[in-house]
Amino acid sequence: YARKLLSSHPDRTKSQQNAGKQDLAALFDAIELSWYSKVCSLVTSPGLQINGLNEDGMTPLDVALLLGDTPVARVLQHHGAVESLRYMKDPGVRYQHVLALLQETEINRTNVLSNPCTLSIASDPSDSKSSDTDQKLWKYHRMLSTLKNTVLPGMPQRVSVSVLSSSSIKVECYEPADCKHSLITQYRVQRSSCP
């Protein structure tokens, strides 16, 4: 019934979609500012696509993990946030992507600073493209620093395997005890033919 009601009011649907996009943008801002209480408030917003992408092609969980904000990442994960699939397949892609964003932003900053017309347009320094670019540079440097200082987690604890069918199993495990200040989002499970 609710779906039928929404579809009969296209303005309401567009309004909710716009609100969802605004909430997603606000969520990315709160994550980048490590604003925990705001993140907690926004993740429950109706219409929020918690796995939506930002302009850099990252999910909210990607950004929180790359900024090293474990408490925020845990909240996001609790509400269904996941990492971008391209990062899950090959963790090296994450580093290359952030490095490429950093290099592109540095080039853009050089172009903005070398063009006197661009600098004279902004009367307020906080509104200038240079200031936005500096914030992006800071964010990407922080992400690269987090990646460089990331260490692989230890072995999972209390691993149990249940056979669900002839073609599937269920693996349950708990984070290692020494992993209280970081977040493990995945383990790779490999099949072995050896007993």
Side-chain angles (χ1 to χ4, degrees):
Y1 173 74
R3 201 176 274 162
K4 185 176 181 181
L5 182 64
L6 286 175
S7 64
S8 66
H9 297 286
D11 291 338
R12 188 178 298 166
T13 304
K14 286 181 184 176
S15 172
Q16 287 176 335
Q17 288 172 346
N18 287 339
K21 287 179 184 176
Q22 289 173 347
D23 288 341
L24 183 61
L27 179 61
F28 279 112
D29 289 343
I31 293 166
E32 290 176 18
L33 294 170
S34 295
W35 193 358
Y36 181 82
S37 62
K38 187 69 172 176
V39 171
C40 291
S41 164
L42 288 167
V43 293
T44 59
S45 299
L48 175 71
Q49 293 186 359
I50 198 155
N51 293 311
L53 302 177
N54 66 4
E55 64 185 5
D56 298 330
M58 297 180 194
T59 68
L61 184 58
D62 292 332
V63 174
L65 292 171
L66 285 167
L67 293 175
D69 196 335
T70 302
V72 166
R74 287 188 191 279
V75 167
L76 292 168
Q77 193 177 44
H78 177 76
H79 285 87
V82 296
E83 292 177 88
S84 174
L85 287 177
R86 68 177 164 177
Y87 296 152
M88 291 174 71
K89 291 178 183 176
D90 181 4
V93 169
R94 185 185 322 248
Y95 183 84
Q96 293 303 321
H97 182 220
V98 175
L99 185 60
L101 289 169
L102 174 66
Q103 291 168 340
E104 179 183 332
T105 305
E106 286 175 335
I107 290 169
N108 290 341
R109 183 176 191 276
T110 301
N111 291 340
V112 167
L113 292 176
S114 66
N115 185 350
C117 295
T118 307
L119 292 174
S120 64
I121 292 173
S123 57
D124 180 5
S126 65
D127 292 337
S128 72
K129 287 184 179 181
S130 178
S131 176
D132 291 342
T133 304
D134 287 343
Q135 289 175 353
K136 284 185 177 184
L137 285 171
W138 174 84
K139 175 177 68 173
Y140 299 142
H141 278 291
R142 186 171 161 200
M143 288 177 170
L144 285 176
S145 175
T146 299
L147 284 170
K148 288 177 183 175
N149 293 316
T150 299
V151 291
L152 292 175
M155 298 292 289
Q157 294 183 340
R158 294 185 279 166
V159 178
S160 66
V161 179
S162 307
V163 177
L164 299 178
S165 70
S166 62
S167 61
S168 65
I169 60 171
K170 179 180 179 180
V171 179
E172 291 183 291
C173 63
Y174 293 90
E175 292 180 352
D178 63 347
C179 192
K180 297 298 179 204
H181 300 292
S182 60
L183 179 68
I184 298 172
T185 58
Q186 63 182 333
Y187 273 106
R188 180 176 293 171
V189 178
Q190 295 177 324
R191 188 179 108 196
S192 172
S193 58
C194 299

